Amino acid sequence: MSWNPSDHDKVSAIKEAVACEFGDGVALLDLKSNIYFSLNSVGAFIWDLIQEPKPILEIRNAVLARYNVDAERCKADVDGLLRGLAIHGLVRLHHEELV
């Protein structure tokens, strides 16, 4: 799967995934595949953010504002999580529409 979004492309969680709190994070169940996934507390924070389409840059900025993390590390980790979720079909990418 090709995953090369721009900072302004939006990402949203699929509605076919059910999330419940699990320790400090969340457990996700993909109702289409019946596969469970687990996210740590930062992943859970991001999952909560993307219940509605959010620009990738806005997601990164929210993580930077909430957690004490280097900007480059934040970008790599957020992009890695979103890529992983996309590979498993748990998020949708909404490309920025140029007007």
Side-chain angles (χ1 to χ4, degrees):
M1 171 184 180
S2 175
W3 175 260
N4 193 21
S6 80
D7 289 349
H8 303 289
D9 285 340
K10 294 181 180 182
V11 175
S12 64
I14 64 166
K15 301 304 180 200
E16 299 82 13
V18 177
C20 67
E21 290 184 21
F22 185 76
D24 290 338
V26 296
L28 299 176
L29 171 61
D30 181 354
L31 296 175
K32 296 178 302 187
S33 67
N34 288 324
I35 297 175
Y36 278 97
F37 300 87
S38 65
L39 299 176
N40 65 16
S41 59
V42 179
F45 175 71
I46 292 170
W47 183 258
D48 190 50
L49 285 175
I50 62 173
Q51 292 308 299
E52 297 296 327
K54 288 270 186 308
I56 292 172
L57 183 60
E58 187 177 318
I59 297 166
R60 286 191 212 121
N61 288 339
V63 171
L64 281 172
R66 182 167 180 151
Y67 298 96
N68 182 22
V69 63
D70 172 76
E72 285 302 310
R73 169 84 188 263
C74 177
K75 180 181 185 324
D77 289 354
V78 169
D79 291 358
L81 174 64
L82 294 176
R83 183 181 315 105
L85 291 171
I87 287 169
H88 292 288
L90 295 168
V91 296
R92 288 193 179 87
L93 181 62
H94 310 271
H95 289 289
E96 178 186 30
E97 297 293 328
L98 298 177
V99 181

